[in-house]
Amino acid sequence: MIDVLVVEDDFMVARIHRGFVDSVEGFRVVGTANCGEQALTAAAELQPDLMLLDLYLPDMFGLDVVPRLRSAGHDCDVMVISAAREAEAVRGAVRQGVVDYLLKPFDAGDLRDRLERYSARRTNLSAATVSGQADVDRALGRVAAPAVAPAVPKGMSVETSELVERALREAGGTLSAAECATEVGISRVSARRYLEHLTLTGKAVVSLRYGQAGRPERRYHWHTR
């Protein structure tokens, strides 16, 4: 599980964000804070993996929390969630090394997509070493431009699609959506969307496994040409 700390001064908005996060498989909210000082205290006590940080806090500007986190030895990632549209705020967030910047207002799907991309990047760096520059680029949220840019449907990311492709190629057999989700670090529903897309594009083949009762299980394997 990826533990999340929500930092938001409006308690109703914090409750909504908590519900959004808890609805994403693999994520859980371990605490909330309504100001910068509370965020620092909660980070020390709860040791979250990810902080969702509003910038307009009552006691300090949100980005001022980040260097204090680092000086205190906390290495949790930070995702900004704010209505701040000033270019300087965005540049400051980039300089502070935030993993994403989501503008308010947004819906649950917007946050889900960013959390799943974040989870995919964490998975990409789970090994002790990286296999090459492509892994580094994916971990930084970059995708090297190929000769023909890969197209994925709206709401899907190239980075996650590549991770699903890799899991399928390296499976040595068939994978279900649930098995793929565990391997890649995304939800089962998202894994199935990516697997079905690979099937439609001819990169994967689907087969049905029948059990004693219920609907047959869809199994996917890489289409070797």
Side-chain angles (χ1 to χ4, degrees):
M1 294 292 289
I2 295 176
D3 292 339
V4 179
L5 173 65
V6 175
V7 182
E8 166 62 56
D9 67 322
D10 187 319
F11 78 94
M12 286 299 296
V13 174
R15 180 182 298 177
I16 292 170
H17 291 178
R18 181 175 196 137
F20 284 174
V21 173
D22 284 337
S23 71
V24 181
E25 188 173 338
F27 289 82
R28 64 182 176 189
V29 173
V30 294
T32 60
N34 60 26
C35 67
E37 291 295 343
Q38 280 191 10
L40 293 166
T41 300
E45 294 176 351
L46 302 173
Q47 297 293 309
D49 302 301
L50 177 66
M51 177 184 292
L52 301 188
L53 178 65
D54 187 19
L55 296 188
Y56 296 140
L57 299 176
D59 57 344
M60 66 180 75
F61 189 56
L63 289 180
D64 293 335
V65 172
V66 183
R68 293 183 59 181
L69 275 175
R70 303 299 178 238
S71 64
H74 306 310
D75 62 354
C76 70
D77 292 319
V78 176
M79 182 183 298
V80 169
I81 294 182
S82 178
R85 297 175 179 267
E86 298 84 358
E88 183 54 37
V90 177
R91 286 193 293 268
V94 172
R95 287 194 296 268
Q96 295 286 6
V98 303
V99 297
D100 212 331
Y101 194 115
L102 179 58
L103 284 172
K104 297 178 181 176
F106 59 89
D107 59 29
D110 294 328
L111 182 57
R112 175 184 296 274
D113 288 343
R114 282 161 173 77
L115 290 177
E116 290 185 345
R117 286 202 295 269
Y118 168 74
S119 176
R121 293 198 295 269
R122 279 174 60 95
T123 300
N124 195 55
L125 282 182
S126 61
T129 60
V130 295
S131 61
Q133 185 63 47
D135 285 344
V136 176
D137 290 341
R138 279 190 290 270
L140 294 174
R142 303 169 182 162
V143 180
V148 178
V152 294
K154 183 178 179 181
M156 296 170 64
S157 74
V158 173
E159 298 95 327
T160 305
S161 181
E162 289 179 349
L163 289 172
V164 171
E165 285 189 27
R166 179 188 298 178
L168 202 57
R169 286 197 307 267
E170 296 178 353
T174 64
L175 280 181
S176 67
E179 291 165 347
C180 182
T182 300
E183 180 70 22
V184 176
I186 58 178
S187 70
R188 182 187 61 80
V189 173
S190 292
R192 178 160 182 173
R193 287 176 61 206
Y194 284 96
L195 289 167
E196 290 292 338
H197 174 66
L198 293 178
T199 301
L200 289 173
T201 57
K203 293 183 176 180
V205 177
V206 64
S207 59
L208 299 180
R209 175 183 292 177
Y210 291 88
Q212 294 182 347
R215 298 173 60 184
E217 181 184 43
R218 294 175 70 82
R219 307 285 303 182
Y220 304 83
H221 68 86
W222 187 251
H223 186 198
T224 55
R225 293 178 175 86

